[in-house]
Amino acid sequence: MKRRVAITGLGAVTPIGNSAPETWNSLINGRSGVGHITTFPLQNQPVHIAGLVKDFDLTTYVPEYRMRRYLSRGAGYGVAAFMQAMADAQIPPGLYQPAEKGVVIGCGVQYPELERMLAMLYQIETTGGKQLPQCAPSDVLIRSHNVGMATMALLGECQGPLIGISTACASSAHAIGEAFRCIQDGDARVMVTGGYDAMTSFIDVLGFTLVGALTSAYNDDPQKASRPFDRDRSGFVLGEGGVVIILEEWESAVSRGAPIYAELVGFASSLNAYRMTDAPPNGDGPIQAMARALKDADLKSEDIDYIVAHGTSTPSNDSCETTAIKAVFGSDAYRLAISSPKSMTGHLTAGSGALNMLAAVYALRDQIIPPTINQDNPDPRLDLNYVPNVAQKRPVRAAMVNAFAFGGTNAALVARQVTN
């Protein structure tokens, strides 16, 4: 028999707040965290904007330098979110054995900063390629996607399942799903999950620009740039941050009187097998993930009240996602509330699915749907309720979280209100 799974802790460091409550407050009030890039010089760059974390100090969470020195910028956000989530979950020390606690995190590789890359290239050029660039051994660790989650495991005394997932923009949604399965199957009683990323470096911004994925139409008005489902959407905006969620085996959480936010009840994934960067116009891959997540949750389309959309603000993704929602939910699609946090934060890439789960969990708790901001000019082909610009107060019994990624990989999760 599969075990039930409770969500008992939340932590976040995002462009719109350095905690989960701050992030949620910004979401429901429609505040944008998109601004001008300050992480590298912008000369000759066509894209000048991103969602950057502000006023963040990692030493508050990891005072020990020897541990902090190996964390990339993105991993720092993730570890800080982890510390917040563990405090929020209020798990008494010693309640669970180390082997009963695990970590599954979605994250990506951190590229060297522009100055470091230029220094290495200069050294190669000036020696005619005869001398390898000098770098500290710690550079390898800083760029590794394993170090952040290993640090979480060390700080949380987690010796159970430890998995790093890198499936681009679906990474943290897949991570939450795999952590969910670990508890369902009895492999752990507590799982630390979610994701982090900081693809706001020179090489990342340049790469996504060359692919044609980023908007460059709003450099002078950054907060208007991310426009999911709007007629004038022209590409996504990169963001950065980390969101961590604590999952617990239901009976254990109830018996200790844990503050349970919601119950995680469904997960599924799929692959488009279509194109590396384009979503399938017929919605096929997302349809499979969403339909199977509903089935896994033992819910019907009429049981879902809110979909936290992947909603990237690209022409193809928003159209594909709308098509998929209509295919899965039929006439119920027009009853649903659908919104995209990316309209305010930009795209947290590997951390975006976890941010969407945060929005779903708080919506279930507070019975309010955060808006999709900048939806000023409706696209006649996209005719669902995307909660334009202003939050909507309405009943939310169950919510679906979507995450679709480059490479064609998809994930869908389902959470519902706390019931006996």
Side-chain angles (χ1 to χ4, degrees):
M1 180 178 178
K2 290 184 177 180
R3 292 164 172 80
R4 294 174 68 185
V5 179
I7 298 172
T8 59
L10 295 170
V13 176
T14 72
I16 55 175
N18 287 343
S19 70
E22 286 179 12
T23 297
W24 174 240
N25 187 58
S26 293
L27 286 174
I28 60 175
N29 285 286
R31 299 192 190 110
S32 174
V34 178
H36 288 102
I37 292 172
T38 58
T39 48
F40 59 86
L42 295 173
Q43 290 92 331
N44 301 318
Q45 280 278 357
V47 174
H48 297 174
I49 59 175
L52 300 179
V53 170
K54 304 160 189 71
D55 303 319
F56 173 74
D57 183 2
L58 182 57
T59 61
T60 303
Y61 301 96
V62 188
E64 186 180 348
Y65 172 72
R66 286 181 299 175
M67 184 174 291
R68 194 173 65 244
R69 66 179 294 200
Y70 299 121
L71 297 176
S72 66
R73 190 168 77 252
Y77 301 148
V79 171
F82 158 77
M83 298 293 283
Q84 295 174 20
M86 289 296 286
D88 189 43
Q90 302 174 36
I91 298 175
L95 179 64
Y96 298 111
Q97 295 299 311
E100 296 178 312
K101 299 182 289 184
V103 181
V104 184
I105 293 292
C107 49
V109 173
Q110 182 76 44
Y111 292 107
E113 297 296 339
L114 178 60
E115 294 82 358
R116 182 66 191 138
M117 291 178 62
L118 291 174
M120 289 190 291
L121 291 171
Y122 177 78
Q123 191 167 358
I124 293 172
E125 178 66 23
T126 54
T127 63
K130 296 178 181 179
Q131 183 176 331
L132 290 174
Q134 295 179 357
C135 61
S138 60
D139 283 3
V140 176
L141 295 176
I142 291 170
R143 292 196 296 273
S144 170
H145 78 289
N146 291 322
V147 171
M149 64 179 181
T151 301
M152 296 180 200
L154 180 64
L155 292 170
E157 298 182 337
C158 303
Q159 296 180 0
L162 179 67
I163 307 169
I165 294 181
S166 184
T167 49
C169 312
S171 297
S172 55
H174 280 131
I176 295 168
E178 293 303 319
F180 171 58
R181 295 283 187 247
C182 284
I183 293 179
Q184 277 192 321
D185 296 342
D187 293 332
R189 295 172 68 193
V190 176
M191 292 298 297
V192 174
T193 188
Y196 59 80
D197 219 336
M199 298 189 75
T200 48
S201 68
F202 170 81
I203 194 168
D204 291 311
V205 174
L206 177 61
F208 280 113
T209 299
L210 293 174
V211 169
L214 303 184
T215 182
S216 59
Y218 296 89
N219 285 334
D220 295 329
D221 196 2
Q223 296 190 353
K224 292 290 186 182
S226 186
R227 318 179 62 83
F229 306 106
D230 186 74
R231 183 193 64 198
D232 298 329
R233 66 193 186 278
S234 56
F236 68 83
V237 176
L238 279 169
E240 62 181 13
V243 178
V244 171
I245 297 164
I246 306 301
L247 305 181
E248 273 185 81
E249 191 272 324
W250 183 272
E251 297 300 330
S252 299
V254 170
S255 66
R256 74 172 182 87
I260 300 176
Y261 284 102
E263 182 178 3
L264 190 57
V265 292
F267 165 63
S269 64
S270 68
L271 186 68
N272 298 337
Y274 176 65
R275 291 177 182 169
M276 284 297 165
T277 58
D278 295 331
N282 65 2
D284 185 46
I287 288 169
Q288 293 184 50
M290 295 164 68
R292 294 210 303 260
L294 269 180
K295 183 178 180 181
D296 188 52
D298 196 24
L299 296 176
K300 298 179 180 179
S301 62
E302 57 263 34
D303 297 319
I304 303 294
D305 295 311
Y306 175 36
I307 294 179
V308 194
H310 188 57
T312 59
S313 186
T314 61
S316 64
N317 175 88
D318 295 358
S319 178
C320 169
E321 188 162 16
T322 297
T323 298
I325 290 170
K326 290 179 178 179
V328 173
F329 288 88
S331 60
D332 274 317
Y334 292 89
R335 173 188 57 81
L336 292 166
I338 303 160
S339 70
S340 173
K342 293 180 183 67
S343 63
M344 290 166 268
T345 64
H347 197 338
L348 271 58
T349 51
S352 63
L355 174 64
N356 280 11
M357 180 56 74
L358 178 151
V361 168
Y362 278 126
L364 288 163
R365 186 194 69 174
D366 295 346
Q367 301 291 283
I368 188 169
I369 309 293
T372 303
I373 67 168
N374 299 323
Q375 211 204 352
D376 303 321
N377 304 301
D379 186 331
R381 298 166 298 177
L382 309 182
D383 58 350
L384 302 179
N385 173 20
Y386 306 106
V387 194
N389 300 313
V390 179
Q392 295 178 5
K393 190 78 174 176
R394 56 188 290 172
V396 185
R397 299 163 297 161
M400 176 174 283
V401 167
N402 285 343
F404 314 138
F406 277 10
T409 183
N410 311 292
L413 297 150
V414 179
R416 69 181 177 194
Q417 276 184 304
V418 175
T419 58
N420 294 329

